[in-house]
């Protein structure tokens, strides 16, 4: 097949199951939000056919999966109400000011690729640009785009084998990677268990109440500088692949040391790989600066 051939089955706007109350319809942004890049932070979740039939769910068809995703997405948006809104500008129209939370909705799209998921992943290891087929790619190039852009874009990609890839993109103005993982985690809980009576208490206005805004510090920035004035930054993308055997050896090495006596349980794959990368960064910083610098990492 031609990898560029992706069939869009449909796309729609998903709105919260219940309307956002009037007092919450203006979500003020902090300085960090106002100066964030106008791009999306993306997360991709891969599901092989076997992953969907784990004996714990009653989903038996692609149609049921779609229906459950849409319904649970609508429910979780009632908790994450700012993500259903749209960016608003200040009265002068020169800076980002807030999010208009009138339940405009998030983009939900389903697509189909006429290939096997394993075959796609094998090719994607060699050509990482193929990953872009699994998520909406429309960029935000001007103010008009920014004001109408959904703050969250979701794409469910279906493969011939029954495999699925779920892409969740969050506009950086209102969220980052942590926001995205928290959102998808709550979405997954609701999708599996339904709305619970003791929802996690979420507060969204802490940053704007603590940090100053651009108006507060009397600083003006251009929303979209002319192209010839935008910094030309060269970016490099690298991929580090840890196979199952390599991770298993790392875990065995850890458990064979005296450090294992301090562990309450065997470390997970993510913890082992994170520790290896963290150790490498510590050693690189020590070699560069000539001394051991304090550092900290966190797994959310």
């Amino acid at each position: 097949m031609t990898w560029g051939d992706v069939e869009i089955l449909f796309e729609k706007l998903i709105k919260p199951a219940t309307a956002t109350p009037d007092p919450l319809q203006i979500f003020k942004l902090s300085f960090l939000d106002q100066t964030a890049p106008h791009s999306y932070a993306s997360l991709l979740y891969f599901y092989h056919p076997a992953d969907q039939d784990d004996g714990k769910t009653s989903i038996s068809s692609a149609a049921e999966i779609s229906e459950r995703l849409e319904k649970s997405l609508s429910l979780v948006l009632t908790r994450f109400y700012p993500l259903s809104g749209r960016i608003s500008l200040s009265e002068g129209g020169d800076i980002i000011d807030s999010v208009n939370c009138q339940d405009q909705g998030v983009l939900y799209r389903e697509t189909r690729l006429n290939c096997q998921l394993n075959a796609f992943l094998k090719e994607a290891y060699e050509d990482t640009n193929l990953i872009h087929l699994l998520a909406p790619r429309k960029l935000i190039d001007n103010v008009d785009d920014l004001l109408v852009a959904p703050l969250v874009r979701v794409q469910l990609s279906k493969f011939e084998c029954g495999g699925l890839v779920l892409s969740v993109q969050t506009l950086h103005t209102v969220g980052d990677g942590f926001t995205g993982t928290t959102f998808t985690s709550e979405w997954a809980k609701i999708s599996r268990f339904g709305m619970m009576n003791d929802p996690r208490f979420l507060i969204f206005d802490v940053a704007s109440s603590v940090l100053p805004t651009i108006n507060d510090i009397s600083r003006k920035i251009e929303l979209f500088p002319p192209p010839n004035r935008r910094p030309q930054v060269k970016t490099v993308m690298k991929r580090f692949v840890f196979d199952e055997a390599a991770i298993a050896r790392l875990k065995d090495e850890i458990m064979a040391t005296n450090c294992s006596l301090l562990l309450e349980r065997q470390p997970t794959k993510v913890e082992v790989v994170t520790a290896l990368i963290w150790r490498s960064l510590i050693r690189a910083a020590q070699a560069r600066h000539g001394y051991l610098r304090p550092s900290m990492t966190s797994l959310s």
Side-chain angles (χ1 to χ4, degrees), residues 2-234:
T2 301
W3 291 114
D5 295 340
V6 177
E7 180 185 359
I8 297 179
L9 301 177
F10 68 87
E11 63 179 36
K12 63 174 69 173
L13 291 175
I14 302 293
K15 301 183 179 183
T18 56
T20 300
D22 291 344
L24 301 179
Q25 289 188 359
I26 300 298
F27 173 65
K28 301 297 291 183
L29 297 173
S30 70
F31 171 76
L32 295 180
D33 302 319
Q34 293 173 301
T35 56
H38 310 309
S39 59
Y40 288 89
S42 301
L43 295 168
L44 292 174
Y45 300 88
F46 295 82
Y47 301 93
H48 287 277
D51 297 336
Q52 302 164 41
D53 185 17
D54 57 6
K56 298 178 182 178
T57 66
S58 58
I59 297 178
S60 59
S61 69
E64 289 182 69
I65 292 175
S66 299
E67 182 181 358
R68 179 172 292 194
L69 283 176
E70 290 186 44
K71 182 178 180 180
S72 56
L73 177 57
S74 179
L75 290 171
V76 75
L77 286 174
T78 62
R79 299 184 184 177
F80 292 81
Y81 65 91
L83 299 183
S84 298
R86 295 293 183 270
I87 296 296
S88 293
L89 302 182
S90 61
E91 291 184 2
D94 55 346
I95 58 173
I96 295 171
D97 178 67
S98 59
V99 175
N100 180 4
C101 306
Q102 294 190 3
D103 304 331
Q104 292 90 333
V106 305
L107 176 68
Y108 179 85
R109 170 193 291 175
E110 290 196 5
T111 64
R112 179 164 53 212
L113 288 83
N114 297 319
C115 63
Q116 304 290 313
L117 178 56
N118 283 338
F120 178 87
L121 292 176
K122 183 178 180 180
E123 293 292 332
Y125 274 121
E126 303 299 328
D127 182 5
T128 55
N129 286 324
L130 292 176
I131 295 298
H132 294 308
L133 300 177
L134 305 177
R137 295 195 64 188
K138 180 176 173 55
L139 302 178
I140 299 176
D141 292 323
N142 53 59
V143 175
D144 291 337
D145 289 343
L146 180 64
L147 297 181
V148 299
L151 305 188
V152 171
R153 304 190 303 198
V154 176
Q155 178 171 314
L156 180 68
S157 302
K158 300 179 178 181
F159 291 80
E160 286 182 340
C161 59
L164 301 171
V165 178
L166 184 66
S167 163
V168 181
Q169 298 180 319
T170 307
L171 189 66
H172 231 310
T173 306
V174 295
D176 52 14
F178 178 77
T179 306
T181 54
T182 303
F183 173 71
T184 51
S185 176
E186 292 299 307
W187 182 12
K189 292 175 185 176
I190 292 176
S191 180
R192 179 174 288 266
F193 305 112
M195 287 289 281
M196 292 171 282
N197 294 327
D198 53 344
R200 177 183 296 185
F201 187 61
L202 301 172
I203 303 175
F204 296 100
D205 58 354
V206 174
S208 60
S209 64
V210 175
L211 300 175
T213 65
I214 292 175
N215 283 333
D216 293 334
I217 60 178
S218 299
R219 174 183 175 184
K220 300 294 182 181
I221 62 171
E222 293 178 289
L223 287 176
F224 290 89
N228 61 344
R229 291 175 53 191
R230 297 182 188 179
Q232 299 299 317
V233 180
K234 292 184 178 180

